[in-house]
């Protein structure tokens, strides 16, 4: 037994699961960073109307906004806050709950957001596709590792 009353095996389990939590927190931070990064991109980056007509013609756009204006100016702050929250929330929940099945629910949620982004690819919410696709891939890897760590820890616990 160690000084904190845990065996080395228990300490190893705690450490391996802690890395899964860290990975989920990194994914959540990347979701927020993606929203902040896009806030400073030109609005034409997220609107098909700019490429097709040369005008920013979308619902919810401020009057007088152009394709060259930053997204935060054209759309306002709340859509960007919502974008960051939507992309980060599944990872935050997975990091807090630390159950393998919650990790897979986070994968499903990110995949659903990506599909929603694909369905709305011509406008602002198409950014869910751009940010959600790589985050979904990362989430699949993390959830798979989480399941593997859990299975390994369970097998070690059954032997002990």
């Amino acid at each position: 037994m160690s000084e904190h009353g845990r065996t080395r095996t228990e300490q190893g389990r705690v450490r391996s699961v802690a890395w899964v939590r860290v990975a989920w927190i990194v994914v959540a931070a990347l979701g927020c960073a993606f929203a902040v990064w896009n806030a400073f991109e030109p609005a034409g980056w997220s609107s098909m109307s700019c490429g097709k007509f040369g005008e920013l013609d979308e619902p919810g756009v401020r009057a007088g906004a152009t394709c060259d204006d930053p997204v935060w100016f054209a759309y306002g702050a709340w859509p960007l806050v919502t974008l960051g929250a939507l992309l980060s929330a599944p990872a935050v929940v997975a990091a807090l709950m630390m159950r393998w099945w919650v990790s897979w629910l986070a994968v499903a949620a990110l995949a659903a957001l990506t599909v929603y982004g694909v369905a709305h690819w011509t406008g602002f919410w198409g950014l869910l596709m751009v940010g959600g696709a790589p985050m979904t891939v990362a989430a699949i890897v993390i959830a798979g590792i989480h399941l593997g760590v859990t299975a390994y820890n369970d097998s070690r616990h059954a032997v002990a």
Side-chain angles (χ1 to χ4, degrees), residues 3-69:
E3 62 190 57
H4 298 290
R6 291 188 177 151
T7 64
R8 284 183 180 232
T9 305
E10 289 171 336
Q11 287 176 342
R13 269 186 241 148
V14 170
R15 256 186 268 126
S16 59
V17 173
W19 284 109
V20 172
R21 177 171 284 151
V22 167
W24 280 122
I25 291 169
V26 167
V27 168
L30 288 173
C32 290
F34 179 76
V36 170
W37 174 61
N38 276 289
F40 297 100
E41 289 294 317
W45 160 251
S46 62
S47 174
M48 181 62 116
S49 68
C50 286
K52 196 169 187 179
F53 306 115
E55 294 178 9
L56 188 58
D57 184 28
E58 261 191 68
V61 174
R62 291 183 183 179
T66 68
C67 296
D68 295 327
D69 289 333

Short mmCIF file of all heavy atoms in Angstrom, two decimals, residues 3-69:
data_model
loop_
_atom_site.label_atom_id
_atom_site.label_comp_id
_atom_site.label_asym_id
_atom_site.label_seq_id
_atom_site.Cartn_x
_atom_site.Cartn_y
_atom_site.Cartn_z
N GLU A 3 1.27 5.55 0.48
CA GLU A 3 0.97 6.47 1.59
C GLU A 3 -0.47 6.97 1.56
O GLU A 3 -1.00 7.38 2.58
CB GLU A 3 1.93 7.65 1.57
CG GLU A 3 1.82 8.48 0.30
CD GLU A 3 2.91 9.49 0.15
OE1 GLU A 3 4.09 9.09 0.16
OE2 GLU A 3 2.57 10.68 0.05
N HIS A 4 -1.13 6.93 0.44
CA HIS A 4 -2.51 7.41 0.34
C HIS A 4 -3.51 6.27 0.44
O HIS A 4 -4.69 6.48 0.21
CB HIS A 4 -2.72 8.17 -0.97
CG HIS A 4 -1.87 9.40 -1.08
ND1 HIS A 4 -2.08 10.51 -0.31
CD2 HIS A 4 -0.78 9.66 -1.83
CE1 HIS A 4 -1.17 11.43 -0.60
NE2 HIS A 4 -0.36 10.93 -1.52
N GLY A 5 -3.07 5.08 0.76
CA GLY A 5 -3.97 3.96 0.95
C GLY A 5 -4.39 3.27 -0.33
O GLY A 5 -5.33 2.49 -0.33
N ARG A 6 -3.72 3.52 -1.43
CA ARG A 6 -4.05 2.88 -2.71
C ARG A 6 -2.90 1.96 -3.11
O ARG A 6 -1.73 2.31 -2.92
CB ARG A 6 -4.26 3.90 -3.81
CG ARG A 6 -5.50 4.71 -3.64
CD ARG A 6 -5.71 5.55 -4.87
NE ARG A 6 -6.95 6.28 -4.74
CZ ARG A 6 -7.18 7.44 -5.30
NH1 ARG A 6 -6.28 8.00 -6.05
NH2 ARG A 6 -8.33 8.05 -5.13
N THR A 7 -3.24 0.86 -3.71
CA THR A 7 -2.21 -0.02 -4.23
C THR A 7 -1.69 0.57 -5.54
O THR A 7 -2.30 1.48 -6.11
CB THR A 7 -2.77 -1.43 -4.50
OG1 THR A 7 -3.77 -1.34 -5.51
CG2 THR A 7 -3.34 -2.04 -3.23
N ARG A 8 -0.59 0.03 -6.02
CA ARG A 8 -0.05 0.51 -7.30
C ARG A 8 -1.02 0.29 -8.44
O ARG A 8 -1.12 1.10 -9.35
CB ARG A 8 1.28 -0.18 -7.60
CG ARG A 8 2.40 0.34 -6.79
CD ARG A 8 3.68 -0.35 -7.21
NE ARG A 8 4.74 0.18 -6.38
CZ ARG A 8 5.85 0.67 -6.87
NH1 ARG A 8 6.07 0.64 -8.16
NH2 ARG A 8 6.77 1.15 -6.08
N THR A 9 -1.74 -0.82 -8.40
CA THR A 9 -2.73 -1.11 -9.45
C THR A 9 -3.83 -0.06 -9.45
O THR A 9 -4.22 0.44 -10.50
CB THR A 9 -3.34 -2.51 -9.24
OG1 THR A 9 -2.28 -3.46 -9.19
CG2 THR A 9 -4.31 -2.86 -10.34
N GLU A 10 -4.31 0.29 -8.26
CA GLU A 10 -5.35 1.32 -8.17
C GLU A 10 -4.83 2.67 -8.64
O GLU A 10 -5.54 3.42 -9.30
CB GLU A 10 -5.87 1.43 -6.74
CG GLU A 10 -6.71 0.25 -6.30
CD GLU A 10 -7.01 0.28 -4.82
OE1 GLU A 10 -6.26 0.92 -4.05
OE2 GLU A 10 -8.02 -0.32 -4.44
N GLN A 11 -3.59 2.99 -8.32
CA GLN A 11 -3.00 4.24 -8.77
C GLN A 11 -2.88 4.26 -10.29
O GLN A 11 -3.13 5.29 -10.92
CB GLN A 11 -1.62 4.45 -8.15
CG GLN A 11 -1.66 4.79 -6.69
CD GLN A 11 -0.27 4.88 -6.09
OE1 GLN A 11 0.71 4.38 -6.66
NE2 GLN A 11 -0.17 5.51 -4.93
N GLY A 12 -2.51 3.14 -10.88
CA GLY A 12 -2.42 3.04 -12.34
C GLY A 12 -3.77 3.25 -13.00
O GLY A 12 -3.89 3.90 -14.03
N ARG A 13 -4.84 2.68 -12.39
CA ARG A 13 -6.19 2.87 -12.92
C ARG A 13 -6.58 4.33 -12.88
O ARG A 13 -7.12 4.87 -13.84
CB ARG A 13 -7.19 2.07 -12.09
CG ARG A 13 -7.43 0.71 -12.61
CD ARG A 13 -8.54 0.04 -11.84
NE ARG A 13 -7.90 -1.13 -11.26
CZ ARG A 13 -8.21 -1.68 -10.13
NH1 ARG A 13 -9.16 -1.18 -9.40
NH2 ARG A 13 -7.58 -2.72 -9.70
N VAL A 14 -6.32 4.98 -11.77
CA VAL A 14 -6.67 6.39 -11.63
C VAL A 14 -5.92 7.23 -12.65
O VAL A 14 -6.48 8.10 -13.29
CB VAL A 14 -6.39 6.87 -10.18
CG1 VAL A 14 -6.52 8.38 -10.07
CG2 VAL A 14 -7.32 6.18 -9.20
N ARG A 15 -4.61 6.95 -12.84
CA ARG A 15 -3.81 7.70 -13.79
C ARG A 15 -4.30 7.51 -15.23
O ARG A 15 -4.38 8.46 -15.97
CB ARG A 15 -2.34 7.31 -13.68
CG ARG A 15 -1.53 8.34 -12.97
CD ARG A 15 -0.06 8.03 -12.97
NE ARG A 15 0.22 7.27 -11.76
CZ ARG A 15 0.81 6.09 -11.73
NH1 ARG A 15 1.25 5.54 -12.82
NH2 ARG A 15 1.01 5.46 -10.60
N SER A 16 -4.60 6.26 -15.61
CA SER A 16 -5.02 6.01 -16.99
C SER A 16 -6.37 6.66 -17.29
O SER A 16 -6.58 7.18 -18.37
CB SER A 16 -5.05 4.51 -17.27
OG SER A 16 -5.94 3.85 -16.40
N VAL A 17 -7.27 6.64 -16.32
CA VAL A 17 -8.57 7.28 -16.52
C VAL A 17 -8.41 8.80 -16.51
O VAL A 17 -9.12 9.50 -17.21
CB VAL A 17 -9.58 6.80 -15.45
CG1 VAL A 17 -10.87 7.57 -15.53
CG2 VAL A 17 -9.84 5.31 -15.61
N ALA A 18 -7.46 9.30 -15.75
CA ALA A 18 -7.22 10.75 -15.71
C ALA A 18 -6.80 11.26 -17.09
O ALA A 18 -7.19 12.37 -17.48
CB ALA A 18 -6.17 11.09 -14.67
N TRP A 19 -6.04 10.48 -17.84
CA TRP A 19 -5.63 10.89 -19.18
C TRP A 19 -6.82 10.98 -20.12
O TRP A 19 -6.86 11.83 -21.00
CB TRP A 19 -4.56 9.95 -19.74
CG TRP A 19 -3.23 10.21 -19.13
CD1 TRP A 19 -2.56 9.42 -18.26
CD2 TRP A 19 -2.42 11.37 -19.31
NE1 TRP A 19 -1.38 10.00 -17.89
CE2 TRP A 19 -1.26 11.20 -18.53
CE3 TRP A 19 -2.55 12.53 -20.05
CZ2 TRP A 19 -0.25 12.16 -18.48
CZ3 TRP A 19 -1.55 13.48 -20.00
CH2 TRP A 19 -0.43 13.29 -19.22
N VAL A 20 -7.80 10.12 -19.92
CA VAL A 20 -9.02 10.19 -20.74
C VAL A 20 -9.75 11.50 -20.44
O VAL A 20 -10.20 12.19 -21.35
CB VAL A 20 -9.93 8.96 -20.48
CG1 VAL A 20 -11.26 9.12 -21.17
CG2 VAL A 20 -9.23 7.68 -20.94
N ARG A 21 -9.83 11.85 -19.17
CA ARG A 21 -10.47 13.11 -18.78
C ARG A 21 -9.74 14.30 -19.39
O ARG A 21 -10.36 15.23 -19.91
CB ARG A 21 -10.53 13.24 -17.26
CG ARG A 21 -11.13 14.56 -16.80
CD ARG A 21 -11.39 14.59 -15.33
NE ARG A 21 -12.59 13.79 -15.09
CZ ARG A 21 -12.83 13.13 -13.99
NH1 ARG A 21 -11.97 13.15 -13.00
NH2 ARG A 21 -13.94 12.46 -13.85
N VAL A 22 -8.42 14.28 -19.34
CA VAL A 22 -7.62 15.36 -19.93
C VAL A 22 -7.90 15.46 -21.42
O VAL A 22 -8.04 16.56 -21.97
CB VAL A 22 -6.11 15.15 -19.64
CG1 VAL A 22 -5.25 16.07 -20.48
CG2 VAL A 22 -5.83 15.33 -18.17
N ALA A 23 -7.99 14.33 -22.10
CA ALA A 23 -8.26 14.34 -23.54
C ALA A 23 -9.61 14.97 -23.84
O ALA A 23 -9.75 15.75 -24.78
CB ALA A 23 -8.19 12.92 -24.10
N TRP A 24 -10.62 14.65 -23.04
CA TRP A 24 -11.94 15.25 -23.24
C TRP A 24 -11.90 16.76 -23.00
O TRP A 24 -12.54 17.53 -23.72
CB TRP A 24 -12.99 14.61 -22.34
CG TRP A 24 -13.51 13.32 -22.87
CD1 TRP A 24 -13.48 12.12 -22.24
CD2 TRP A 24 -14.16 13.09 -24.14
NE1 TRP A 24 -14.06 11.16 -23.05
CE2 TRP A 24 -14.49 11.73 -24.21
CE3 TRP A 24 -14.48 13.90 -25.21
CZ2 TRP A 24 -15.13 11.16 -25.31
CZ3 TRP A 24 -15.11 13.34 -26.31
CH2 TRP A 24 -15.43 11.99 -26.35
N ILE A 25 -11.15 17.18 -22.00
CA ILE A 25 -11.04 18.62 -21.71
C ILE A 25 -10.35 19.33 -22.87
O ILE A 25 -10.74 20.45 -23.25
CB ILE A 25 -10.32 18.85 -20.37
CG1 ILE A 25 -11.23 18.36 -19.23
CG2 ILE A 25 -9.94 20.31 -20.18
CD1 ILE A 25 -10.54 18.28 -17.88
N VAL A 26 -9.35 18.70 -23.46
CA VAL A 26 -8.67 19.30 -24.62
C VAL A 26 -9.64 19.45 -25.78
O VAL A 26 -9.67 20.48 -26.46
CB VAL A 26 -7.43 18.46 -25.02
CG1 VAL A 26 -6.89 18.86 -26.37
CG2 VAL A 26 -6.35 18.58 -23.95
N VAL A 27 -10.47 18.42 -26.01
CA VAL A 27 -11.47 18.50 -27.10
C VAL A 27 -12.45 19.64 -26.82
O VAL A 27 -12.80 20.39 -27.73
CB VAL A 27 -12.19 17.14 -27.28
CG1 VAL A 27 -13.40 17.28 -28.19
CG2 VAL A 27 -11.23 16.11 -27.84
N ALA A 28 -12.89 19.77 -25.58
CA ALA A 28 -13.81 20.87 -25.23
C ALA A 28 -13.14 22.23 -25.47
O ALA A 28 -13.77 23.14 -26.02
CB ALA A 28 -14.25 20.74 -23.78
N ALA A 29 -11.89 22.35 -25.09
CA ALA A 29 -11.17 23.61 -25.31
C ALA A 29 -11.02 23.90 -26.80
O ALA A 29 -11.13 25.06 -27.23
CB ALA A 29 -9.80 23.55 -24.63
N LEU A 30 -10.80 22.86 -27.60
CA LEU A 30 -10.69 23.05 -29.04
C LEU A 30 -12.02 23.52 -29.64
O LEU A 30 -12.03 24.32 -30.59
CB LEU A 30 -10.23 21.77 -29.72
CG LEU A 30 -8.76 21.40 -29.49
CD1 LEU A 30 -8.45 20.03 -30.07
CD2 LEU A 30 -7.84 22.46 -30.06
N GLY A 31 -13.14 23.05 -29.10
CA GLY A 31 -14.45 23.52 -29.56
C GLY A 31 -14.62 25.01 -29.32
O GLY A 31 -15.11 25.74 -30.19
N CYS A 32 -14.20 25.46 -28.14
CA CYS A 32 -14.27 26.90 -27.84
C CYS A 32 -13.30 27.69 -28.71
O CYS A 32 -13.64 28.76 -29.21
CB CYS A 32 -13.97 27.13 -26.36
SG CYS A 32 -15.25 26.55 -25.26
N ALA A 33 -12.11 27.15 -28.87
CA ALA A 33 -11.10 27.83 -29.70
C ALA A 33 -11.57 27.94 -31.14
O ALA A 33 -11.31 28.96 -31.81
CB ALA A 33 -9.77 27.08 -29.62
N PHE A 34 -12.25 26.92 -31.64
CA PHE A 34 -12.77 26.96 -33.00
C PHE A 34 -13.77 28.11 -33.17
O PHE A 34 -13.73 28.84 -34.16
CB PHE A 34 -13.44 25.62 -33.34
CG PHE A 34 -14.03 25.57 -34.72
CD1 PHE A 34 -13.22 25.42 -35.83
CD2 PHE A 34 -15.40 25.69 -34.90
CE1 PHE A 34 -13.76 25.38 -37.10
CE2 PHE A 34 -15.96 25.65 -36.16
CZ PHE A 34 -15.14 25.49 -37.28
N ALA A 35 -14.65 28.29 -32.18
CA ALA A 35 -15.62 29.38 -32.25
C ALA A 35 -14.92 30.74 -32.19
O ALA A 35 -15.27 31.65 -32.95
CB ALA A 35 -16.63 29.25 -31.11
N VAL A 36 -13.94 30.88 -31.32
CA VAL A 36 -13.22 32.15 -31.21
C VAL A 36 -12.46 32.44 -32.50
O VAL A 36 -12.47 33.56 -33.01
CB VAL A 36 -12.26 32.13 -30.00
CG1 VAL A 36 -11.32 33.33 -30.01
CG2 VAL A 36 -13.05 32.08 -28.70
N TRP A 37 -11.81 31.43 -33.05
CA TRP A 37 -11.07 31.60 -34.30
C TRP A 37 -11.99 32.06 -35.42
O TRP A 37 -11.67 32.98 -36.17
CB TRP A 37 -10.38 30.29 -34.67
CG TRP A 37 -9.70 30.29 -35.99
CD1 TRP A 37 -8.67 31.09 -36.39
CD2 TRP A 37 -10.02 29.47 -37.12
NE1 TRP A 37 -8.32 30.80 -37.69
CE2 TRP A 37 -9.13 29.81 -38.16
CE3 TRP A 37 -10.95 28.47 -37.34
CZ2 TRP A 37 -9.17 29.19 -39.39
CZ3 TRP A 37 -10.98 27.85 -38.57
CH2 TRP A 37 -10.10 28.22 -39.57
N ASN A 38 -13.17 31.44 -35.52
CA ASN A 38 -14.11 31.80 -36.58
C ASN A 38 -14.72 33.18 -36.36
O ASN A 38 -15.21 33.79 -37.31
CB ASN A 38 -15.20 30.75 -36.72
CG ASN A 38 -14.73 29.61 -37.58
OD1 ASN A 38 -14.58 29.76 -38.79
ND2 ASN A 38 -14.44 28.49 -36.97
N ALA A 39 -14.72 33.67 -35.14
CA ALA A 39 -15.26 35.00 -34.87
C ALA A 39 -14.51 36.08 -35.66
O ALA A 39 -15.10 37.09 -36.05
CB ALA A 39 -15.18 35.31 -33.38
N PHE A 40 -13.24 35.84 -35.94
CA PHE A 40 -12.42 36.84 -36.61
C PHE A 40 -12.23 36.56 -38.10
O PHE A 40 -11.56 37.33 -38.78
CB PHE A 40 -11.07 36.96 -35.89
CG PHE A 40 -11.24 37.43 -34.48
CD1 PHE A 40 -11.22 36.52 -33.42
CD2 PHE A 40 -11.47 38.76 -34.20
CE1 PHE A 40 -11.41 36.95 -32.12
CE2 PHE A 40 -11.65 39.19 -32.90
CZ PHE A 40 -11.62 38.28 -31.86
N GLU A 41 -12.83 35.50 -38.59
CA GLU A 41 -12.79 35.21 -40.02
C GLU A 41 -13.79 36.10 -40.75
O GLU A 41 -14.78 36.54 -40.15
CB GLU A 41 -13.15 33.74 -40.27
CG GLU A 41 -12.08 32.77 -39.81
CD GLU A 41 -10.81 32.88 -40.62
OE1 GLU A 41 -10.88 33.00 -41.86
OE2 GLU A 41 -9.72 32.86 -40.01
N PRO A 42 -13.60 36.35 -42.03
CA PRO A 42 -14.59 37.12 -42.79
C PRO A 42 -15.91 36.34 -42.86
O PRO A 42 -15.92 35.11 -42.92
CB PRO A 42 -13.99 37.24 -44.18
CG PRO A 42 -12.56 36.88 -44.05
CD PRO A 42 -12.42 36.02 -42.84
N ALA A 43 -17.01 37.06 -42.81
CA ALA A 43 -18.33 36.42 -42.85
C ALA A 43 -18.52 35.61 -44.13
O ALA A 43 -19.29 34.64 -44.14
CB ALA A 43 -19.43 37.47 -42.72
N GLY A 44 -17.83 35.98 -45.18
CA GLY A 44 -17.91 35.23 -46.43
C GLY A 44 -17.43 33.80 -46.30
O GLY A 44 -17.81 32.93 -47.09
N TRP A 45 -16.61 33.52 -45.30
CA TRP A 45 -16.10 32.18 -45.04
C TRP A 45 -17.24 31.23 -44.65
O TRP A 45 -17.19 30.05 -44.94
CB TRP A 45 -15.05 32.26 -43.94
CG TRP A 45 -14.74 31.01 -43.20
CD1 TRP A 45 -15.07 30.72 -41.91
CD2 TRP A 45 -14.04 29.86 -43.68
NE1 TRP A 45 -14.61 29.48 -41.56
CE2 TRP A 45 -13.97 28.93 -42.65
CE3 TRP A 45 -13.46 29.53 -44.90
CZ2 TRP A 45 -13.36 27.70 -42.78
CZ3 TRP A 45 -12.86 28.30 -45.03
CH2 TRP A 45 -12.81 27.40 -43.98
N SER A 46 -18.27 31.75 -44.02
CA SER A 46 -19.34 30.88 -43.53
C SER A 46 -20.66 31.06 -44.26
O SER A 46 -21.67 30.53 -43.83
CB SER A 46 -19.55 31.12 -42.03
OG SER A 46 -19.95 32.46 -41.81
N SER A 47 -20.66 31.79 -45.36
CA SER A 47 -21.90 32.03 -46.08
C SER A 47 -21.74 31.77 -47.57
O SER A 47 -20.91 32.38 -48.23
CB SER A 47 -22.37 33.48 -45.87
OG SER A 47 -23.49 33.74 -46.67
N MET A 48 -22.54 30.86 -48.08
CA MET A 48 -22.50 30.54 -49.51
C MET A 48 -23.00 31.71 -50.35
O MET A 48 -22.58 31.87 -51.50
CB MET A 48 -23.35 29.31 -49.77
CG MET A 48 -23.35 28.89 -51.21
SD MET A 48 -21.72 28.45 -51.75
CE MET A 48 -21.96 26.76 -52.11
N SER A 49 -23.86 32.56 -49.78
CA SER A 49 -24.38 33.69 -50.55
C SER A 49 -23.26 34.64 -50.97
O SER A 49 -23.35 35.27 -52.02
CB SER A 49 -25.47 34.43 -49.76
OG SER A 49 -24.92 35.08 -48.64
N CYS A 50 -22.22 34.72 -50.17
CA CYS A 50 -21.09 35.59 -50.53
C CYS A 50 -20.38 35.06 -51.77
O CYS A 50 -20.01 35.83 -52.65
CB CYS A 50 -20.11 35.70 -49.37
SG CYS A 50 -20.72 36.74 -48.04
N GLY A 51 -20.19 33.78 -51.83
CA GLY A 51 -19.51 33.20 -52.99
C GLY A 51 -20.37 33.20 -54.23
O GLY A 51 -19.88 33.33 -55.35
N LYS A 52 -21.67 33.08 -54.04
CA LYS A 52 -22.58 32.98 -55.17
C LYS A 52 -23.02 34.35 -55.69
O LYS A 52 -23.05 34.59 -56.89
CB LYS A 52 -23.80 32.16 -54.76
CG LYS A 52 -24.61 31.66 -55.91
CD LYS A 52 -25.61 30.63 -55.41
CE LYS A 52 -26.32 30.01 -56.59
NZ LYS A 52 -27.28 29.00 -56.18
N PHE A 53 -23.39 35.24 -54.77
CA PHE A 53 -23.95 36.54 -55.16
C PHE A 53 -23.06 37.72 -54.79
O PHE A 53 -23.31 38.84 -55.19
CB PHE A 53 -25.32 36.75 -54.51
CG PHE A 53 -26.29 35.65 -54.79
CD1 PHE A 53 -26.76 34.84 -53.76
CD2 PHE A 53 -26.75 35.41 -56.07
CE1 PHE A 53 -27.66 33.83 -54.02
CE2 PHE A 53 -27.64 34.40 -56.33
CZ PHE A 53 -28.10 33.59 -55.29
N GLY A 54 -22.06 37.50 -53.96
CA GLY A 54 -21.19 38.58 -53.52
C GLY A 54 -21.81 39.44 -52.43
O GLY A 54 -21.29 40.48 -52.09
N GLU A 55 -22.93 38.98 -51.89
CA GLU A 55 -23.62 39.71 -50.81
C GLU A 55 -23.90 38.75 -49.66
O GLU A 55 -24.16 37.57 -49.87
CB GLU A 55 -24.96 40.27 -51.31
CG GLU A 55 -24.83 41.32 -52.36
CD GLU A 55 -26.19 41.80 -52.85
OE1 GLU A 55 -27.22 41.43 -52.25
OE2 GLU A 55 -26.22 42.54 -53.83
N LEU A 56 -23.87 39.29 -48.46
CA LEU A 56 -24.18 38.51 -47.27
C LEU A 56 -25.68 38.54 -47.07
O LEU A 56 -26.24 39.51 -46.56
CB LEU A 56 -23.44 39.09 -46.05
CG LEU A 56 -23.50 38.28 -44.77
CD1 LEU A 56 -22.94 36.87 -44.99
CD2 LEU A 56 -22.70 38.98 -43.69
N ASP A 57 -26.35 37.50 -47.53
CA ASP A 57 -27.81 37.44 -47.50
C ASP A 57 -28.24 36.19 -46.73
O ASP A 57 -28.45 35.14 -47.30
CB ASP A 57 -28.35 37.41 -48.92
CG ASP A 57 -29.87 37.44 -48.94
OD1 ASP A 57 -30.46 37.99 -48.00
OD2 ASP A 57 -30.45 36.88 -49.90
N GLU A 58 -28.30 36.36 -45.40
CA GLU A 58 -28.69 35.26 -44.52
C GLU A 58 -29.57 35.79 -43.42
O GLU A 58 -29.43 36.94 -43.01
CB GLU A 58 -27.45 34.63 -43.88
CG GLU A 58 -26.99 33.38 -44.57
CD GLU A 58 -25.93 32.69 -43.74
OE1 GLU A 58 -26.27 32.18 -42.66
OE2 GLU A 58 -24.79 32.67 -44.20
N PRO A 59 -30.45 34.94 -42.88
CA PRO A 59 -31.24 35.38 -41.73
C PRO A 59 -30.33 35.61 -40.52
O PRO A 59 -29.38 34.87 -40.31
CB PRO A 59 -32.20 34.23 -41.47
CG PRO A 59 -31.97 33.21 -42.52
CD PRO A 59 -30.82 33.62 -43.34
N GLY A 60 -30.63 36.63 -39.76
CA GLY A 60 -29.88 36.91 -38.55
C GLY A 60 -28.64 37.76 -38.74
O GLY A 60 -27.92 38.03 -37.79
N VAL A 61 -28.37 38.20 -39.97
CA VAL A 61 -27.20 39.03 -40.24
C VAL A 61 -27.56 40.49 -39.99
O VAL A 61 -28.66 40.93 -40.34
CB VAL A 61 -26.71 38.83 -41.69
CG1 VAL A 61 -25.59 39.77 -42.04
CG2 VAL A 61 -26.27 37.40 -41.90
N ARG A 62 -26.65 41.23 -39.39
CA ARG A 62 -26.89 42.65 -39.13
C ARG A 62 -27.04 43.42 -40.43
O ARG A 62 -26.38 43.12 -41.43
CB ARG A 62 -25.74 43.25 -38.35
CG ARG A 62 -25.66 42.72 -36.95
CD ARG A 62 -24.54 43.38 -36.20
NE ARG A 62 -24.48 42.77 -34.88
CZ ARG A 62 -23.61 43.11 -33.96
NH1 ARG A 62 -22.73 44.04 -34.20
NH2 ARG A 62 -23.61 42.52 -32.80
N ALA A 63 -27.89 44.39 -40.42
CA ALA A 63 -28.10 45.24 -41.60
C ALA A 63 -26.79 45.94 -41.95
O ALA A 63 -26.10 46.47 -41.08
CB ALA A 63 -29.19 46.26 -41.33
N GLY A 64 -26.47 45.94 -43.20
CA GLY A 64 -25.27 46.62 -43.67
C GLY A 64 -24.00 45.79 -43.57
O GLY A 64 -22.93 46.26 -43.97
N ALA A 65 -24.08 44.58 -43.03
CA ALA A 65 -22.89 43.74 -42.92
C ALA A 65 -22.49 43.24 -44.31
O ALA A 65 -23.35 42.94 -45.14
CB ALA A 65 -23.15 42.56 -41.99
N THR A 66 -21.20 43.18 -44.55
CA THR A 66 -20.69 42.70 -45.83
C THR A 66 -19.96 41.38 -45.65
O THR A 66 -19.69 40.95 -44.52
CB THR A 66 -19.72 43.72 -46.45
OG1 THR A 66 -18.54 43.78 -45.64
CG2 THR A 66 -20.35 45.10 -46.56
N CYS A 67 -19.60 40.77 -46.76
CA CYS A 67 -18.88 39.50 -46.74
C CYS A 67 -17.49 39.63 -46.14
O CYS A 67 -16.93 38.64 -45.66
CB CYS A 67 -18.77 38.93 -48.15
SG CYS A 67 -20.37 38.52 -48.88
N ASP A 68 -16.94 40.83 -46.15
CA ASP A 68 -15.59 41.05 -45.62
C ASP A 68 -15.57 41.37 -44.12
O ASP A 68 -14.50 41.37 -43.51
CB ASP A 68 -14.91 42.18 -46.38
CG ASP A 68 -14.66 41.81 -47.83
OD1 ASP A 68 -14.41 40.62 -48.11
OD2 ASP A 68 -14.74 42.72 -48.69
N ASP A 69 -16.73 41.63 -43.53
CA ASP A 69 -16.80 41.91 -42.10
C ASP A 69 -16.51 40.64 -41.30
O ASP A 69 -16.81 39.54 -41.76
CB ASP A 69 -18.19 42.43 -41.72
CG ASP A 69 -18.45 43.83 -42.23
OD1 ASP A 69 -17.48 44.59 -42.41
OD2 ASP A 69 -19.63 44.16 -42.45
#
